Structures are given as structure tokens and as C-alpha cells.
Amino acid sequence: MKRSRGLRAALALSLAAGLGAVTAPQAAAVTEPVAFTADDLPTWQTDGIVWALAQAGGVVFAGGTFSTVRPPEGAAGTERRALNFAALDAATGAPTDCALSFTVSSGTATVRALTVSPDQRTLYVGGYFGAVNGMPVSSAAAIDIATCTPKDGFNAAFPATVRALAVTGDTVYAAGDFGQVNGQTRQRFAAVDATTGALRPFRADADEPGRAIEITPDGRHALLGGDFFTVNGADSHALAVVDATTGANAKTYPGFIMNSSVVKDIDTDATGFYTAHEGTGGFDGRIALELNGFGQRWRDTCLGATQAVESHKGVLYSASHAHDCGLVGEFPDGRRYHFLAQPTTSVGKLGWFPDSNDGIGEGIGPRVITIAAKNGVEYLWSGGEFTTVNGAPAQGLTRFASTGDTGRPTTPVASAASVRPGEIHVRWRTSLDLDDSRLTYKVYRDGSATPIATVNADSLPWHRPQASFTDTGLTPGTTHTYRVTATDGAGNVSGPSATVTATVAVSAQPYASQVIADGAQLYWRYDDTVTPYVADSSTGNTSGLQAGAPTQGQPGVIADGSRSFAFDGVDAKIHSDRRVTVGDAYTLETWFKTTTTRGGKLIGFGNNTTRNSGRYDKHIYMNNWGQLYFGAYDGGTRYLNTPTAYNDGKWHHVVGTQGPGGMSLYVDGKRIGSNGYSGHERYAGYWHIGGDAVGNWPSRPTSNHFAGQLDETAVYPTALTATQIAGHHARASQKGDTVTTVQPTADTYVNAGSTGTNYGTATSLAVRGSAAYETYLRFPLPAAPAGTRLTGAALEVRTDSSSTAGSTDPVLVRPVTAAWSENEVTHASRPAVGTQLLGTLTPPAGPSGSASVQLDRAAVGAALGGDYSLALTGEGTDALWLWSHEAPAAEGTPRLILTFSPL
């Protein structure tokens, strides 16, 4: 085993139960209960695999199959010879003066086990080797830590590989492949004298290799792990508890662990012990067992072989390549997580997610963990096969400290929209921080440095629900900009989100406001312009993630000019960003438009995300002929379908409901059919739009993925009534506000310091009072759409990326009252500017910032249907630099945002 435990103090921290299948993730910062940051520290590297770690007095010992170590930078010529062993400073990660070479006359030498005596004076080493610094040994050695020399009085002889060691004050315990020790029969487990290596009476014979051994804190029992099926002739696969003196069985586990799973590591603390499992198509997770009676406390059934476990201050750290924790209500089968942390009281994962790659050898990743301390700082060390850590080169060894968290959360992805008068819904995908699952978000409006809202929200790599804030009390027709930042528990602040803009509704949007009023808990409108985030306009904060690149910005179905997404029928789809369950009643609703002859899933529920789900129902799909099917599974496939095809290239509205009264299917506001089936399959999963498994459901389409456009998708926790559904269909054609964005056809500035120069082709515009710069903008204003009036007009600008772009001086917006030409105007020939003040802009204070100003609505309204020119002038000395319409970044172009509302 990797180290000696001995007696431990009682735990200082008692953790509450972890996550259930679908509860919110337990918040965890670096401070508590996780003890380490996720920031990997510079550590010397190996040229092979590290199999074993131990620590004593601020030094970490690493053993494995390697020949050199090198600095973190890995420059050529800096390697040091290190034959299967290295001693490193726990605080710096650099080698100490202790150098040992473990060799063998034939075959490949390897160190597989390290442990330190309770008095911290002796390091015991196991593996497959025949000499230490040339002194003959037989796969086991004792090293004097003070002098870094092998003890020639320790003469235990193992003719085969030793894979684990544990030690008490006078006894060394070993597990491995051997069948003899010191010439006497000992099958896979043995005990020898800690000073001489003489064989102890301990006898715990197993039929297959031993891989782990630990001694309970009271010293009375040995905990055995490995591949075996019998111990001392009794059935006990992979795990057993025996008497530490005699080896007699104290607790066996017949049928407790499936035959295809083995135990790779065991760790103990004051109350329990923990096992790490590797399976072949079987159990790969972790088990916690009580020391009192040796019964199970919990079982974590995540898939992805666990190689090492380490209990520390109430948290169990593990090294694995976990890729599917769906059975414990966490991430579905997909990417690998190589480091995890969870309470010793439950299976729920805590917010600590440093990561490695699979690396060399068997492609396992990390193999071993230990914890060392020096100068008041604790360090979690890991060794293994990996060649990268947190995306950067790092081979064989890495470490994480208990202090110095410097990792910033990822930048939030935000959006904003207004559905009801007087308010804007600001929403964002929660950020990811590798060592803090609870983050604090600040919302900033109109370029202000003071946040208007602070929101706390939890997130994990596989569970990043939307967070949101509704800005209220706003003037209808006005336009506002927002940015969002995330801050972790250590005070590290993310970059600000990209600026998002919304115009406050003058009248309620007929369709969207009704969907929200009827209780949607997922409402995807598909007006998003960023990837991969899909905003949820409901109060459910059930945002989505795009996969396979659906096409954004397509014409939508709603009369207010909203957008839709187009799906390619190959791999484009959207899935919800958090795992949920579905209750006794629900409604699925979406609009679609297609000419496909291959069918596909429009909307459905499944237990995976980017991969096809293994469990799936509560879905609406189309067959190859264009007919719609709505189905749920209750032990049988219960479904309704349309006799008519709807792949006619027109927009259609489809709704499926299920509740205690059964199932109903509606198309274009009319009920097509119903039945009495009220049951569906109960599992935690994700909503899918545009594609997921269809399997052998009736009239199965050729494609799982839908080719066509989808818009206005909603999911409700109730079965909507026929009246509500008909009302939704009717409201889609009712107009609300129409928001029109107008780009300039010409823009330039003039410079009082260079009166004859024209700047018409410049990518930036300038405004300043003293040593004047003046900017001119010309917009082609549309006529008001029939039956509407202008209810809002705003000018939005964005500073360029230069360090001096921002300004603290107000900018005055006035009408230009004379003709001007972008490519001819100079300061000497500048046009006349009217005296009417249309608005005063408070500009961004720094580069790459956005700001907007409300303009006099009557003045703008009088100019509708023709060109309208604005002048931006200043009265101070602080220059403002803005992007022009020639700038390469289209989102920085000045623009007018006009709101037209029904008469």
C-alpha cells in the first residue's frame, strides 16, 4: 500500500448527504469541504509511469517504471537519472538529494508499492526488482529515510511482484502476485517483521493476485483487496477482512462485488474504509464501508476504472477515468473525469475537477494519490500514466495545494430579452470553476461599474443551469445593455460576458407572454446569436446546449419577427443543460417547418446528452412520410399519430400532453387524438430538440435527427387544456412590438487639428470637445410598419479596442441639418448641426464597451422613411474612440434600435 495510516484522530468535519438523482449540486468552494485548489503546480516529471507514492517529513517518494526525471519545462539536457524511484520536495516539486536505483538482471524493473513506518524513519518499497543501488534484494526493500540508503538487515524475499504494502510498528504487510515468501508458502498476501523481514505467522491465502492491503486504525484487522475469489478457502471476491495477527477470516464478501470487478486500492479513516474498483464491463466505482461491522455505507456506481482513493478531512478524493455517473444521478456516458472528490458520507460529487489525459501505457490516467504537508501547506500529489494536466504538458506527476487558488471562473455567456412592458430578462449560462461549484454573479447595466444585481448559483461541469435576473421598472421602448461576471470563493473574477442588448417591450408580446403565463418551465425561443448556449425565457432556467451546429438566425414563426434554428438531419440538435425528472403530467410544444422524407425526432426526453440515449420516451417524432407520432413508455409503447403528413414546407404547431387523464396530440391548435394511458418511464434525463434515439418505435424514421426548422419550443409541468393550446396557436399570428435595427450607410469624423483631412475610410470614429473631434452618422430610416407607431429609438455605439478608447465626458447627440459626404467632409467643410438635443450619451469608460442613449422619439419619428443624420459632439478633453461601420467587427458598428408598437 502507498503509506502507513496508523491511528487517526476523529474527523473534524461531518458532511451532509450528497446529491440525489436530480437535486441541485452541493455547493463547495476550495475552503470547505474541498481542501485543495484545482490549479496544478509546477512539478518535476518522469519519462514513464508512476505507480506508487508515499510521504514523510515534507518529502514525497515516487516509484514506478521510469528512468529519468526532468524539470516542469522539460528542456533537453535537464534530465536526471532516476531508475524507477524519485524523492521530491512536497512544496517545490523538485528532486531532493535522495537517489535510489531499483534494477533487475532480466526483465523490466518496477516499483509498485511504497509505505512509510509510523515513526517516519523507514520507507518500505515493493515491486519487481533485484537490487537497490546495487545491493541484492528480492522485490522488497527497507530504506533508511535519513540517509537514503537500503537497510541490509531487512531480508524479505518475494519471488514475484509486490503490488501493495502496509506497515504497523513492527510488521510489514504485502499483497501481490507471489506464492511464496522467504521460501515458505504465502499465497498473494503475507506479513514480515519490519526490522528483519522474517516471515510472520499471518496467513491469508488467496487464489488470485492481491492489489491492496490496509490495516484498520485499531491495528486489529487487515483489509484485503484484489482479483481473488477465495480467501483461506472461503468465497470472497475482491474484498475480505482478516485478523491482522493470524490472517484468519473476519468478514468475507461472497456476491458483494461482481465477478468482473477487482479492488485496486483501499484507504481508511477514523470511521470507515474505502475501496477503488476496476471492472471489465462491470463495477468501476467506489464503495464506503463502516469499520464497525465492515458493512456497506454507500456504493458509487460510476463507470470508469477507479485506481486510487484517499480520505482527507471528510472528503474522498479519487483517481479514475470516470465517464458515466448516470446511475448516481450525475453525468451521462461521455467525457472522462480523472479526478473526483465526494463526501465520505455519500456519492454526490463536490466541486473539484482538475483533469489529466489518459496518457501512456494502458491509458488509465492517474494511478495513485497521497497527501503531504510542508510549512503549513498541504499538497495532494498524484502519479500515473498521464502526460497532460489541466490541458498543459505534465507527465507522471502532478500536485495541488491547499492555498493559492488563482483559477478564474469561465466567462458567462449571456443574453437578454423583453417580453412584458417595463422589464428585461437577463439570463446566462452558469460558469465553470474547477474548484468552486458555487459562484457569485454580478449584473451590470449600461456600462456602469456598479452592479444592479448579485446572484449566487451552483454549477458543475455536467450541470450548468441557467441563472437569471429580471430588471424591472424600466421605461417601455428604451434600450439597455448588460454584462455579467462570475466570482469564485477565493475572489477570482471571470472576464465580463459579451455585451447583450434588449429593448424594453412597450406592449406584451402576445405569444411569448402567454406561454410564460401558462407555466412553461422550459421555453426556447431560438433568438440566440452565440454558441453553444440556448437561453430559457421561462422561470425554470432550463437552458440548452447546441450540438452539431444548428443554423441560427432563420426566419421564425411568430409575427413579431423572432428567429428560429435550422437542423440538418445529420447531427445538429440541442439538449438541456441540466438533468431533470418528469412528473405525473407534462406538455411538449414546438413549431416546425420541414420538407424532409427521412423523418426524425422533434422533441423528446432521454438519459444522455450528445450521444443517443439508451432510455427515451415522452417524445414527438416524424416518420418518413411526414406523419407525427407522440409517445410515452410505461412498459409498452403508448402513442398517438396523425393520419396527415406535415412535411409540406409550412409552419405547423404540435403539442403532446399526458396526465392522469391520458395522452392527447394536437396539431395547429386542434386535437388529433387521445387515449387513456397516463404512465411514462421514470428516470432522470435531458430534453432533446432536433434529434435523439427513436429505436423501434412505430413507423420508425430513417433518421434520428430532424431536418428542418424548429421554433418556440416549450415544456410544461402540467397538461395544458385544449383551450390553452388553441390560444397559443392563434396568438402566434398576433403582432406585438417590432424591433428594427438600422446600420449606418455612412459614418466619419472630423478633426480640428487637421482641418483638411477626410477620415471616411477609417475603422474608428472620434468625439472630443477641446481640440475638437466630431462624428457624423447617416441612417436610412424605415417607414413605420402598417398599423404601428414608433415607441422607442435608441443609438448604440461600441468603443474600439485601443487602450484609450473610453471616455468620462458626456457625448451630445444632435441632428445634422446640412448635406455631407462620408468621403469628402473635413473639419473645414463640416456640415451644420442643429441646436436640438436628441440625447446625451454616457460613453463606456474603457475599450470594447457598449453604451446606448435614448433619442427624442418625436424627432426620429418625423424622419421615418428617409435618411437621418446625427452628430456626436463633446464638451470635455477626454477623447472617445468608437468603431465605425468599416470596422471588421460587425457587432461594434453604430446602430439605431427602433421599436414599433401596435396602434
Side-chain angles (χ1 to χ4, degrees):
M1 197 55 191
K2 53 188 175 289
R3 66 229 166 266
S4 173
R5 282 293 176 190
L7 294 175
R8 290 197 176 191
L11 292 178
L13 178 64
S14 177
L15 295 173
L19 299 180
V22 294
T23 57
Q26 182 171 343
V30 176
T31 49
E32 283 189 11
V34 176
F36 304 95
T37 81
D39 304 325
D40 57 298
L41 299 175
T43 307
W44 277 56
Q45 311 293 286
T46 67
D47 63 349
I49 300 171
V50 173
W51 293 97
L53 293 172
Q55 63 81 30
V59 175
V60 172
F61 307 104
T65 311
F66 51 87
S67 58
T68 65
V69 293
R70 63 185 186 276
E73 303 80 17
T78 59
E79 300 90 349
R80 293 189 189 180
R81 179 180 170 87
L83 293 182
N84 306 309
F85 177 86
L88 305 106
D89 186 285
T92 68
T96 69
D97 293 334
C98 178
L100 298 169
S101 296
F102 290 80
T103 58
V104 70
S105 58
S106 62
T108 301
T110 183
V111 171
R112 293 300 182 101
L114 296 168
T115 194
V116 173
S117 61
D119 62 10
Q120 303 281 289
R121 294 180 178 180
T122 305
L123 171 69
Y124 294 93
V125 185
Y128 180 72
F129 46 84
V132 183
N133 287 359
M135 188 184 86
V137 294
S138 183
S139 294
I143 309 299
D144 182 83
I145 292 176
T147 62
C148 189
T149 57
K151 293 184 174 182
D152 56 11
F154 182 80
N155 294 304
F158 293 83
T161 303
V162 174
R163 299 187 178 275
L165 293 170
V167 63
T168 61
D170 60 1
T171 303
V172 177
Y173 296 84
D177 300 350
F178 49 84
Q180 291 184 333
V181 179
N182 295 352
Q184 298 185 48
T185 299
R186 291 292 189 274
Q187 298 287 342
R188 282 87 186 191
F189 294 97
V192 299
D193 183 274
T195 302
T196 66
L199 194 64
R200 294 288 199 195
F202 177 89
R203 189 79 179 259
D205 290 339
D207 60 334
E208 295 288 345
R211 297 183 181 272
I213 188 165
E214 270 284 8
I215 306 303
T216 56
D218 62 8
R220 296 176 56 194
H221 294 95
L223 311 170
L224 313 182
D227 299 7
F228 51 83
F229 291 89
T230 63
V231 176
N232 293 327
D235 290 340
S236 192
H237 175 53
L239 180 66
V241 181
V242 299
D243 185 276
T245 301
T246 66
N249 292 348
K251 173 73 173 180
T252 56
Y253 295 88
F256 183 69
I257 299 168
M258 60 192 311
N259 287 350
S260 58
S261 177
V262 302
V263 170
K264 299 297 292 289
D265 190 22
I266 299 174
D267 192 32
T268 65
D269 60 24
T271 65
F273 65 101
Y274 310 91
T275 57
H277 295 259
E278 179 179 274
T280 304
F283 177 55
D284 277 342
R286 294 154 290 282
I287 299 176
L289 301 102
E290 304 291 350
L291 287 175
N292 182 14
F294 308 118
Q296 178 176 297
R297 179 186 301 168
W298 51 255
R299 181 178 295 225
D300 185 337
T301 55
C302 290
L303 298 177
T306 305
Q307 302 297 312
V309 286
E310 178 83 8
S311 173
H312 182 68
K313 296 181 178 178
V315 175
L316 185 69
Y317 299 89
S318 59
S320 70
H321 57 265
H323 59 86
D324 185 355
C325 287
L327 292 177
V328 293
E330 296 170 330
F331 53 90
D333 194 15
R335 63 155 288 190
R336 291 182 167 189
Y337 295 85
H338 292 90
F339 294 103
L340 296 174
Q342 62 197 109
T344 55
T345 55
S346 69
V347 302
K349 307 305 179 294
L350 299 171
W352 185 74
F353 298 98
D355 205 7
S356 74
N357 66 351
D358 292 341
I360 60 177
E362 297 178 38
I364 293 294
R367 289 276 188 179
V368 64
I369 297 174
T370 197
I371 293 173
K374 187 173 183 180
N375 299 328
V377 178
E378 294 181 319
Y379 300 90
L380 184 147
W381 281 68
S382 182
E385 300 177 351
F386 50 83
T387 59
T388 67
V389 176
N390 289 340
Q395 182 172 352
L397 288 167
T398 191
R399 62 200 176 96
F400 309 93
S402 60
T403 61
D405 177 23
T406 60
R408 300 196 304 170
T410 59
T411 300
V413 179
S415 74
S418 179
V419 170
R420 293 182 286 225
E423 63 183 45
I424 291 177
H425 187 216
V426 185
R427 55 276 178 103
W428 59 93
R429 188 186 188 206
T430 46
S431 299
L432 178 62
D433 188 284
L434 296 181
D435 45 31
D436 194 343
S437 60
R438 165 147 288 202
L439 302 175
T440 298
Y441 299 88
K442 295 181 179 180
V443 182
Y444 300 86
R445 181 177 61 203
D446 296 336
S448 172
T450 302
I452 61 169
T454 299
V455 177
N456 294 322
D458 293 337
S459 58
L460 295 170
W462 60 89
H463 182 104
R464 294 174 63 181
Q466 175 178 288
S468 63
F469 166 73
T470 300
D471 194 7
T472 59
L474 303 173
T475 301
T478 59
T479 299
H480 299 278
T481 61
Y482 299 89
R483 302 188 88 176
V484 182
T485 63
T487 305
D488 69 11
N492 300 305
V493 183
S494 75
S497 70
T499 301
V500 294
T501 303
T503 299
V504 184
V506 175
S507 57
Q509 294 186 21
Y511 185 87
S513 62
Q514 192 61 55
V515 169
I516 294 170
D518 284 341
Q521 289 296 289
L522 178 157
Y523 184 22
W524 296 346
R525 305 205 65 198
Y526 306 115
D527 294 329
D528 309 275
T529 59
V530 296
T531 57
Y533 174 62
V534 177
D536 181 11
S537 293
S538 80
T539 59
N541 283 329
T542 311
S543 55
L545 280 183
Q546 301 168 41
T551 304
Q552 299 174 328
Q554 302 303 296
V557 66
I558 304 302
D560 62 12
S562 66
R563 304 285 88 187
S564 70
F565 278 12
F567 297 79
D568 60 11
V570 178
D571 61 358
K573 69 177 192 177
I574 300 169
H575 64 82
S576 56
D577 211 1
R578 63 185 174 99
R579 190 181 177 104
V580 297
T581 54
V582 180
D584 292 337
Y586 62 91
T587 296
L588 312 181
E589 176 180 39
T590 195
W591 288 79
F592 68 93
K593 178 181 179 182
T594 185
T595 58
T596 185
T597 57
R598 301 178 67 243
K601 184 170 290 191
L602 281 69
I603 179 172
F605 193 71
N607 69 341
N608 212 308
T609 52
T610 57
R611 301 184 182 186
N612 279 338
S613 297
R615 301 174 74 181
Y616 45 91
D617 74 332
K618 297 173 280 295
H619 56 186
I620 297 172
Y621 63 91
M622 178 177 282
N623 68 10
N624 292 347
W625 297 274
Q627 295 166 299
L628 296 168
Y629 283 72
F630 167 49
Y633 184 77
D634 64 356
T637 54
R638 314 303 182 188
Y639 66 94
L640 297 164
N641 66 283
T642 66
T644 304
Y646 292 93
N647 55 348
D648 55 6
K650 300 178 182 179
W651 280 109
H652 295 284
H653 179 228
V654 61
V655 179
T657 71
Q658 187 177 33
M663 303 170 66
S664 293
L665 174 63
Y666 300 80
V667 178
D668 294 337
K670 299 178 180 178
R671 183 154 53 195
I672 301 299
S674 60
N675 62 36
Y677 294 110
S678 61
H680 60 83
E681 190 170 11
R682 300 305 179 101
Y683 56 94
Y686 307 83
W687 291 108
H688 294 253
I689 307 299
D692 196 16
V694 179
N696 293 317
W697 278 74
S699 198
R700 185 193 189 285
T702 301
S703 174
N704 288 330
H705 288 80
F706 176 73
Q709 290 171 244
L710 292 169
D711 199 7
E712 304 294 326
T713 300
V715 177
Y716 306 78
T718 59
L720 295 185
T721 66
T723 300
Q724 288 174 307
I725 293 166
H728 289 193
H729 181 258
R731 281 177 174 263
S733 59
Q734 297 176 13
K735 288 189 176 182
D737 294 343
T738 300
V739 178
T740 301
T741 299
V742 183
Q743 306 285 354
T745 55
D747 58 16
T748 190
Y749 75 98
V750 297
N751 179 1
S754 183
T755 59
T757 304
N758 172 262
Y759 298 96
T761 60
T763 58
S764 294
L765 305 169
V767 182
R768 184 171 62 192
S770 176
Y773 299 135
E774 291 185 1
T775 282
Y776 309 116
L777 308 168
R778 180 182 296 122
F779 294 95
L781 300 185
T788 70
R789 70 189 193 284
L790 182 70
T791 52
L795 171 67
E796 183 178 294
V797 296
R798 184 174 178 83
T799 49
D800 67 23
S801 56
S802 60
S803 61
T804 58
S807 174
T808 58
D809 294 336
V811 172
L812 308 180
V813 184
R814 291 190 169 95
V816 176
T817 58
W820 60 280
S821 169
E822 179 182 70
N823 295 320
E824 296 177 0
V825 67
T826 67
H827 189 271
S829 64
R830 65 190 184 279
V833 175
T835 59
Q836 181 186 10
L837 182 63
L838 301 177
T840 300
L841 173 73
T842 300
S848 302
S850 295
S852 65
V853 56
Q854 303 303 313
L855 303 182
D856 185 278
R857 191 170 66 246
V860 176
L864 291 176
D867 285 344
Y868 191 54
S869 292
L870 304 175
L872 308 184
T873 64
E875 296 180 342
T877 59
D878 191 6
L880 173 69
W881 291 92
L882 307 171
W883 288 122
S884 75
H885 81 287
E886 284 90 358
E891 69 273 12
T893 302
R895 57 183 187 165
L896 279 181
I897 302 172
L898 307 177
T899 303
F900 299 96
S901 300
L903 293 172

